[in-house]
Amino acid sequence: MDINRLDFQQARIKQVLFKSRLRSVLYGVREADDTLFSLYHNPLGEWLRTVVKPRYSLRPEVREIERTIQQMLDTGYELSTQYKRGYIEEARAGLDKINAYSDRIEALLQTLEQHTQV
């Protein structure tokens, strides 16, 4: 079964959800738990692992998406740690890095989506 447009839209929503949760951590609305920064527990990482990889694991975009998600999660963890140590403004400024990773993931998702819709 091919991945459809709705699947990709849901992946994009999962991406926004992570950014929203991280922002909530960096603005003191919620506590960070370790699962927030785990590729295995991240909703987008889980989607990649369970929906995309079984069908398209050989596509270079899939490996690059996974790598970029991991970089984004690692950066999010670092920002959360900065926030906990009192470097609040520095941590919040780091959201620009998260947005850059998110933009990269979006571009890769678009490429993969075009491939799967052929």
Side-chain angles (χ1 to χ4, degrees):
M1 179 165 92
D2 286 336
I3 302 171
N4 62 38
R5 292 190 189 280
L6 179 60
D7 291 320
F8 281 98
Q9 189 59 32
Q10 289 174 344
R12 290 176 177 98
I13 291 168
K14 292 172 192 307
Q15 177 75 351
V16 170
L17 179 63
F18 169 77
K19 291 184 346 180
S20 176
R21 287 180 177 165
L22 178 60
R23 188 175 306 278
S24 293
V25 168
L26 299 181
Y27 281 85
V29 176
R30 69 182 297 167
E31 291 282 325
D33 58 33
D34 289 341
T35 62
L36 181 61
F37 307 111
S38 164
L39 182 62
Y40 188 80
H41 291 102
N42 175 273
L44 185 57
E46 183 180 349
W47 174 80
L48 192 70
R49 183 178 68 257
T50 60
V51 176
V52 178
K53 279 184 145 183
R55 177 102 170 124
Y56 298 102
S57 63
L58 298 179
R59 295 286 311 163
E61 298 90 355
V62 174
R63 289 187 299 277
E64 185 64 18
I65 290 169
E66 185 173 48
R67 187 180 69 78
T68 307
I69 292 170
Q70 186 62 63
Q71 290 174 321
M72 182 180 67
L73 295 174
D74 291 346
T75 301
Y77 178 79
E78 291 168 10
L79 297 177
S80 173
T81 300
Q82 277 184 319
Y83 178 83
K84 288 177 189 174
R85 291 183 178 160
Y87 298 100
I88 295 169
E89 293 306 315
E90 294 87 343
R92 290 176 183 166
L95 287 170
D96 288 342
K97 293 177 190 174
I98 298 298
N99 288 329
Y101 288 127
S102 181
D103 291 345
R104 176 71 179 140
I105 292 167
E106 173 59 27
L108 291 163
L109 284 173
Q110 286 177 358
T111 301
L112 184 62
E113 183 176 20
Q114 290 169 356
H115 172 76
T116 63
Q117 302 304 309
V118 175

